[in-house]
Amino acid sequence: MENIRNFSIIAHVDHGKSTLADRILDICGAITAREKKDQLLDNMELERERGITIKAQTVRLNYTAEDGKEYIFNLIDTPGHVDFSYEVSRSLKACEGVLLLIDASQGIEAQTLANLHLATEHNLTVIPVINKIDLPNADLDMVKHQLEDILCIDAEEAILTSGKSGIGVKDLLEAVVKRIPPPKGDPAGPLKALVLDSWYDSYRGVVVLARIFEGTLTPAMKIRFMGTGTEYPMTQMGIFAPFAREVKSAGPGEVIFLNASIKTVADTKVGDTVTDAANPAPAPLEGFKEARPMVFSGLYPVEGDKYGALREALEKLHLNDASFEFLPETSAALGFGFRCGFLGLLHMEIIQERLEREFNMNLITTSPTVSYRLTVMPGDVRIIDNPNSLPEHYEMIEEPVIRATIFTPDEYLGPIFALIEEKRGVQEKLEYIGVKRVMVVALLPLNEVVLDFFDKLKTATKGYASVDYENHGYQPAQLVKMDILVNGDPIDALGFIVHKDKAYNFGRDIVSKMRELIPRQMFDVAIQAAIGSRVISRETVKALRKNVLAKCYGGDITRKRKLLEKQKEGKKRMKQIGNVEIPQSAFLAVLKR
Amino acid sequence: MPEKASIYLHIPFCRSKCAYCDFPSFAGIEELMEPYTAALAREIDAAAKLQAPTVYIGGGTPSYLPAPLMEALLKKVIGHFYLEEQVEFTIEANPGTASESNFRLWRRNRVNRLSIGVQSFNGRLLKNIGRGHNAADARNTIAAARAAGFDNLSIDLIYGLPGQTLSDLKEDMRTLLGLWPEHASVYQLILEEGTPLEKMVDKGEVSLPDDDETFEMGEAATGALAEAGYGHYEISNYALPGRECRHNTAYWLGKPFLGLGSGAHSFINGRRLANPENVQEYIQLMESKGSASTEIVTDEKARTIDYLLMRLRLINKEISFKEVGDTLSVDFKGHFNIPLTKLQAGGYITLTDSSFRLSNKGIRYLDNIILELSKV
């Protein structure tokens, strides 16, 4: 146990975490060249493509230190995106220390700070690492200043590395040995292991990743999940080094995977404590706060007959990612689909992309919304995540708020202030963190953020700003439900909740877009945006003056028939709202905004 | 008694290809004219000796065919088929491609009707669509046809042309009426997929009049022709009394016809046949196999719809259920009862116990009516 070191690398996205991890694996001789894939820890195709880590991975390494002793390193990977901060927190539970990675040319970014906060919350030893020092625009002085001024870390402690060339990585590993404390725990005590993650593997079934804090786990045990109370006989246990390898026992400080005859991932709750059914621990370990979906949207198959296939695909994805929710939903405009809850926008995009890529689904996604807290009357408080379930009368509606921390070059302060204002935000704090770099902290309504805040921030700052956010509860707001109606019938898929002051512009934009997209019918079609019975915007699609093919060419009737078939096909892709036929493309265009 | 059917002959050659055209016609393959007419002669020889109430030589540009080749073709037709005494024998001619002496030659070979592809008398608009003639050519050609003795002329116009205004169309109508053709076809431009015009519109090089203005043009054309005594007997066709095109009417009534030449279709004994559109392929097939047609197999439902979508184009001719029943051997009223009732309620048709006819609204929305009927 004295020789075990459990640690994570935490970093802002793109600061070189995966490359450094690869280098560490190299030095520890974990993989042969034949096995090597670049950035080994990012497994999923999508992760590789986007260069981000979504699901935490873990790897056990053997390192022979300068003192001649052999050490066991458990390198526990963490996701790099704000949507998955709960997963970062989960990984940190298994560690005694972290490597806080900072890009030598970029300096401290929003997530550097957020991650450091998480690490200190968990009382972990922090080793600051300034990475990419061989970049031509590396600015060590700047980063060292930032370390001391913003993070209150002694710059002398920083290890200078280049994951790419391997400079300093050996020093780093020595620092891991010397600075990070070994785990504690009694190998003879009753078993306490924390469930870090679980997923479904088509070969092994449900795989549980756990960190042992007390006692010893063996494959002969019957285990009990203390939270759910369920018990399972063990079938197998092992480590990832980095490929799965069976082991016969494991004690405190070790990170292992286990298989028991568990049917579905849903039976294993992340944060639960595993104990020995025959000799249970008196109390479980402290778990995690459960990750709650923050962003909601409807997912509909473009082809109505793919509903069953979509359900199967969602169920499969859910096996490995219990953090998103889905419930059946019906829309007059879009047919049968699901209302899904996600941790954030990126999470939503990832699920959508996986559905499209791995399951060949062709999807329509309704505009993302957030969950509102509604006081219908004193004592009747509800959370609603679908604009259409807003009742007509209620006492108060509150919207979720986030605290966003933005790091930016100061030249973009103007546009950022304008954006915060536009998004109904309130600036909390502004602090210079270098000569030309500023940290801005602001409270922002989440429903403004989910729409396009990140895109707009990127545009406003030419991509130079970084942002991180945390939830900041609910606040009352002047929100209204806006309906879009065609010839008096509301289109459920286009109903949304919006701030009173923005309702007019929103409504007008959607109405004019719909006008462009709805083909002329045999009669006038009125498109309206309305709040309750008050119409705030209206446009008309004038009736088609005629619909008749001018020329029927000679004897070739097939031409005419083909045209007819085409019109028929076109009709099939139309959705009937009242007596108006609306092409699906119209919904798509409006929803894509 | 020989079988009775109209005859269509296709001439796929054009001096230049118009920007809007997606018909099987080609410019720059003049070297194929001789082998093509030879192949066509072969196809005529192989055809049944039908009794022909009408003959129609269309294209392409039949008038672009050199006189000797046309003369040989005409003689072949006259020699092979039994042309009825009152036969309607039409050739399509484009302004600037035929002279009075051509017309005289045709007339000597029983041709008695010309359809002249004027499209517009406005030089600017003609240029926009890549027509190879001008307004003077059009007038000269019509004058030559009259001089040659043709007393049954049709003029084709197109409206909704790029750059055309309502007053341009009215001007075209005045010019047309001043020439007193016996028949006029006034088509709304169809922007066909894959045509040069479609590309020009997509690129913004030319712009088409909007739906409302185009609609007004159609109304203005119909109004002007009606005032001058032309009956509106088909969606796009107008004629002085008794001068309706008998050949096209045969198509619309679902009567049999034999189509010869590349891209030509036939409807004989209830079967639909088609020749390949590719000219070389057609020639090769005729040379190697003596036949070029393949059957388009249709089911009963398709046959019903085919019939209706042709028949309904004769907008003033009441459709009796007996007529449809006899042609298609279906109980039309029973089969289409639901859509017919719906269309009646919508004001698209007027329905009696034994027949129905299109209302003015129905004429404008004919495609919707056919879609409704084809749902059954």
Side-chain angles (χ1 to χ4, degrees):
Chain A
M1 194 162 56
E2 270 308 305
N3 294 349
I4 298 177
R5 297 293 181 273
N6 292 325
F7 64 96
S8 282
I9 309 175
I10 52 179
H12 189 79
V13 66
D14 274 349
H15 279 198
K17 192 176 63 170
S18 297
T19 313
L20 183 67
D22 282 353
R23 198 59 59 221
I24 294 174
L25 260 58
D26 276 352
I27 290 178
C28 298
I31 35 175
T32 63
R34 191 175 55 83
E35 294 162 335
K36 184 167 174 179
K37 287 189 266 175
D38 274 336
Q39 302 197 347
L40 186 99
L41 291 181
D42 288 349
N43 264 345
M44 223 185 294
E45 184 192 350
L46 208 57
E47 293 188 341
R48 227 163 241 289
E49 237 165 68
R50 293 190 171 220
I52 52 166
T53 309
I54 299 163
K55 297 294 285 182
Q57 304 288 322
T58 188
V59 57
R60 174 166 162 152
L61 303 163
N62 293 315
Y63 174 67
T64 310
E66 280 167 2
D67 61 13
K69 287 187 211 155
E70 183 144 312
Y71 289 85
I72 293 167
F73 285 176
N74 285 310
L75 170 53
I76 297 150
D77 198 19
T78 57
H81 190 275
V82 46
D83 279 0
F84 305 102
S85 67
Y86 83 105
E87 292 218 13
V88 177
S89 156
R90 188 192 290 184
S91 302
L92 295 187
K93 276 268 182 187
C95 299
E96 276 77 36
V98 294
L99 311 184
L100 178 66
L101 203 58
I102 303 158
D103 186 313
S105 64
Q106 306 281 318
I108 287 168
E109 295 285 359
Q111 283 155 250
T112 318
L113 196 65
N115 284 329
L116 175 64
H117 285 160
L118 281 175
T120 37
E121 266 175 40
H122 288 85
N123 295 317
L124 303 180
T125 302
V126 176
I127 302 177
V129 182
I130 303 176
N131 192 33
K132 302 196 190 177
I133 55 164
D134 52 352
L135 283 184
N137 56 342
D139 187 346
L140 291 178
D141 286 344
M142 168 201 68
V143 180
K144 284 181 174 173
H145 274 120
Q146 288 183 341
L147 269 180
E148 303 206 326
D149 297 347
I150 306 162
L151 306 184
C152 305
I153 290 176
D154 185 355
E156 292 300 304
E157 288 179 16
I159 313 270
L160 309 183
T161 63
S162 162
K164 207 170 155 200
S165 68
I167 304 168
V169 179
K170 190 88 184 159
D171 298 339
L172 180 59
L173 297 181
E174 286 300 316
V176 167
V177 169
K178 288 182 188 124
R179 295 193 208 167
I180 297 178
K184 297 197 259 306
D186 179 4
L191 180 68
K192 272 191 196 177
L194 185 69
V195 177
L196 301 176
D197 201 357
S198 64
W199 61 90
Y200 186 83
D201 177 314
S202 44
Y203 297 106
R204 292 169 201 283
V206 174
V207 182
V208 175
L209 186 73
R211 150 84 197 251
I212 300 173
F213 282 86
E214 295 281 345
T216 302
L217 180 69
T218 69
M221 273 181 185
K222 188 175 191 186
I223 53 167
R224 176 190 298 168
F225 288 88
M226 296 182 77
T228 56
T230 50
E231 296 184 2
Y232 303 94
M234 291 270 291
T235 54
Q236 202 186 38
M237 61 185 279
I239 54 168
F240 293 109
F243 301 104
R245 205 173 77 204
E246 229 176 301
V247 296
K248 290 295 164 206
S249 86
E254 300 211 56
V255 178
I256 50 91
F257 71 81
L258 65 86
N259 301 111
S261 23
I262 305 166
K263 292 254 159 48
T264 71
V265 173
D267 296 334
T268 63
K269 264 180 82 167
V270 167
D272 203 350
T273 301
V274 176
T275 191
D276 179 1
N279 178 23
L285 296 157
E286 191 198 334
F288 309 109
K289 269 187 275 176
E290 214 174 316
R292 295 289 311 153
M294 297 286 289
V295 176
F296 300 83
S297 90
L299 294 186
Y300 291 84
V302 171
E303 303 94 9
D305 57 348
K306 294 283 166 62
Y307 172 77
L310 175 59
R311 189 185 53 223
E312 272 171 38
L314 285 167
E315 278 165 0
K316 277 196 183 133
L317 283 183
H318 197 254
L319 284 181
N320 276 336
D321 183 355
S323 59
F324 83 92
E325 296 173 349
F326 61 101
L327 280 171
E329 174 181 77
T330 325
S331 154
L334 304 175
F336 291 103
F338 294 92
R339 174 130 293 249
C340 301
F342 309 96
L343 298 172
L345 283 176
L346 181 77
H347 190 210
M348 179 174 93
E349 273 176 41
I350 283 167
I351 298 282
Q352 277 167 25
E353 263 193 67
R354 292 189 65 185
L355 288 169
E356 283 173 1
R357 208 181 286 196
E358 295 167 31
F359 298 92
N360 285 320
M361 298 299 309
N362 198 359
L363 295 174
I364 302 179
T365 313
T366 63
S367 303
T369 63
V370 301
S371 61
Y372 296 91
R373 189 159 72 188
L374 196 69
T375 308
V376 182
M377 58 179 89
D380 182 359
V381 179
R382 302 174 195 171
I383 299 285
I384 60 161
D385 55 34
N386 185 340
N388 295 315
S389 44
L390 190 71
E392 212 172 310
H393 301 288
Y394 50 85
E395 221 155 73
M396 179 172 69
I397 183 165
E398 293 169 286
E399 62 181 341
V401 177
I402 58 153
R403 174 184 277 123
T405 306
I406 303 164
F407 280 65
T408 177
D410 61 359
E411 62 190 287
Y412 301 117
L413 273 179
I416 288 178
F417 290 156
L419 182 60
I420 290 175
E421 163 121 23
E422 182 199 326
K423 296 295 179 190
R424 300 190 286 119
V426 180
Q427 190 190 311
E428 266 200 340
K429 191 164 136 191
L430 185 143
E431 196 179 310
Y432 265 86
I433 53 166
V435 188
K436 283 179 163 297
R437 246 180 126 65
V438 189
M439 177 177 80
V440 181
V441 180
L443 297 180
L444 288 154
L446 184 62
N447 70 356
E448 297 282 348
V449 175
V450 297
L451 218 53
D452 54 2
F453 180 77
F454 295 121
D455 287 346
K456 285 199 162 169
L457 182 70
K458 209 169 168 184
T459 312
T461 62
K462 302 199 171 81
Y464 281 112
S466 65
V467 62
D468 196 277
Y469 66 81
E470 57 188 6
N471 297 332
H472 192 67
Y474 285 89
Q475 74 180 18
Q478 300 264 342
L479 299 168
V480 291
K481 159 90 187 294
M482 165 111 54
D483 290 311
I484 303 297
L485 306 100
V486 290
N487 278 3
D489 290 307
I491 306 178
D492 52 8
L494 299 184
F496 56 94
I497 290 173
V498 63
H499 192 265
K500 180 169 82 37
D501 295 346
K502 299 200 159 183
Y504 177 74
N505 283 339
F506 260 69
R508 199 191 46 196
D509 285 357
I510 292 183
V511 165
S512 70
K513 207 174 224 172
M514 290 296 284
R515 193 186 76 94
E516 298 288 308
L517 294 163
I518 295 180
R520 298 171 75 168
Q521 323 257 323
M522 315 270 279
F523 41 80
D524 284 1
V525 176
I527 307 161
Q528 297 166 306
I531 298 167
S533 56
R534 191 163 58 92
V535 173
I536 60 168
S537 182
R538 182 199 159 103
E539 298 222 28
T540 306
V541 178
K542 300 290 283 175
L544 196 63
R545 304 294 289 272
K546 65 175 180 181
N547 181 29
V548 49
L549 191 72
K551 187 163 188 173
C552 206
Y553 174 63
D556 183 358
I557 196 150
T558 56
R559 276 170 181 264
K560 174 82 176 153
R561 207 192 298 136
K562 269 178 209 151
L563 282 168
L564 194 72
E565 288 303 319
K566 228 161 129 185
Q567 285 203 23
K568 259 197 199 161
E569 269 307 304
K571 289 235 181 239
K572 267 195 207 154
R573 282 193 293 271
M574 298 274 195
K575 298 282 181 180
Q576 189 96 19
I577 304 291
N579 56 355
V580 182
E581 284 168 333
I582 302 178
Q584 206 157 43
S585 59
F587 295 118
L588 278 174
V590 172
L591 292 171
K592 281 222 161 109
R593 260 196 280 226
Chain B
M1 193 52 186
E3 229 181 308
K4 196 167 159 173
S6 292
I7 311 286
Y8 175 79
L9 296 128
H10 190 69
I11 305 298
F13 307 102
C14 282
R15 195 161 62 185
S16 61
K17 181 93 178 167
C18 303
Y20 56 82
C21 174
D22 81 331
F23 292 160
S25 62
F26 308 91
I29 52 164
E30 286 76 2
E31 74 276 8
L32 294 179
M33 284 176 165
E34 273 199 50
Y36 180 79
T37 41
L40 196 51
R42 239 176 218 242
E43 199 179 16
I44 294 169
D45 282 337
K49 290 181 175 292
L50 299 164
Q51 178 190 332
T54 68
V55 181
Y56 196 103
I57 304 182
T61 311
S63 54
Y64 186 46
L65 204 63
L69 291 178
M70 180 60 94
E71 186 177 11
L73 178 63
L74 294 175
K75 292 206 183 314
K76 191 92 206 165
V77 171
I78 303 168
H80 185 82
F81 298 108
Y82 301 105
L83 270 54
E84 288 182 2
E85 203 181 322
Q86 297 299 317
V87 69
E88 176 195 271
F89 195 148
T90 309
I91 294 186
E92 285 182 348
N94 276 348
T97 55
S99 63
E100 191 183 322
S101 68
N102 291 126
F103 292 147
R104 286 185 189 282
L105 169 75
W106 299 355
R107 256 181 66 76
R108 283 199 298 277
N109 290 285
R110 301 199 63 182
V111 177
N112 53 20
R113 185 174 181 272
L114 296 181
S115 170
I116 299 174
V118 172
Q119 319 313 359
S120 173
F121 295 99
N122 182 320
R124 174 178 61 89
L125 299 178
L126 288 169
K127 221 172 150 189
N128 280 349
I129 53 172
R131 280 301 279 191
H133 63 87
N134 57 36
D137 290 335
R139 290 167 185 280
N140 292 339
T141 297
I142 292 161
R146 291 293 189 205
F150 278 100
D151 64 355
N152 197 2
L153 292 186
S154 178
I155 293 178
D156 278 6
L157 288 188
I158 301 181
Y159 68 93
L161 294 170
Q164 192 177 29
T165 63
L166 182 56
S167 61
D168 288 336
L169 182 273
K170 286 179 176 167
E171 183 61 37
D172 267 353
M173 294 311 300
R174 272 194 291 277
T175 311
L176 177 133
L177 291 172
L179 293 166
W180 280 106
E182 285 69 26
H183 185 280
S185 300
V186 186
Y187 298 108
Q188 182 183 331
L189 179 77
I190 305 172
L191 191 60
E192 299 281 3
E193 263 175 52
T195 55
L197 184 62
E198 189 198 38
K199 279 193 202 87
M200 287 154 70
V201 171
D202 283 350
K203 282 191 198 155
E205 291 166 5
V206 296
S207 67
L208 299 178
D210 70 22
D211 287 358
D212 287 334
E213 196 169 10
T214 307
F215 176 77
E216 297 301 337
M217 290 182 199
E219 294 293 287
T222 301
L225 284 158
E227 209 174 301
Y230 290 81
H232 187 188
Y233 72 102
E234 194 261 359
I235 296 294
S236 307
N237 284 283
Y238 307 80
L240 293 176
R243 299 302 191 121
E244 293 83 6
C245 176
R246 283 162 49 205
H247 183 83
N248 285 334
T249 301
Y251 292 150
W252 296 320
L253 286 173
K255 299 240 166 101
F257 57 89
L258 175 69
L260 303 167
S262 62
H265 284 233
S266 302
F267 180 52
I268 291 274
N269 302 325
R271 293 165 73 214
R272 292 201 179 271
L273 302 162
N275 284 346
E277 294 192 353
N278 184 299
V279 178
Q280 256 165 333
E281 192 187 341
Y282 167 77
I283 295 170
Q284 258 162 28
L285 282 171
M286 284 315 303
E287 282 173 0
S288 60
K289 292 171 59 188
S291 155
S293 69
T294 48
E295 183 165 2
I296 304 169
V297 182
T298 50
D299 58 16
E300 182 154 329
K301 184 177 166 156
R303 278 195 291 278
T304 306
I305 295 305
D306 286 352
Y307 172 77
L308 286 172
L309 60 83
M310 295 303 272
R311 177 61 183 83
L312 283 166
R313 296 191 70 88
L314 290 169
I315 50 185
N316 291 329
K317 213 169 143 55
E318 181 180 73
I319 299 179
S320 79
F321 299 134
K322 184 177 179 305
E323 169 202 336
V324 189
D326 289 351
T327 317
L328 296 171
S329 58
V330 289
D331 168 18
F332 186 77
K333 181 90 189 286
H335 196 61
F336 289 95
N337 195 28
I338 294 169
L340 285 174
T341 313
K342 198 170 157 190
L343 290 166
Q344 155 106 323
Y348 296 102
I349 59 169
T350 48
L351 197 56
T352 70
D353 284 346
S354 58
S355 70
F356 74 99
R357 63 160 63 231
L358 298 173
S359 69
N360 282 335
K361 183 179 174 186
I363 293 170
R364 281 196 277 141
Y365 298 110
L366 185 56
D367 282 6
N368 296 74
I369 294 177
I370 292 165
L371 274 178
E372 195 61 46
L373 292 172
S374 68
K375 279 183 196 162
V376 176

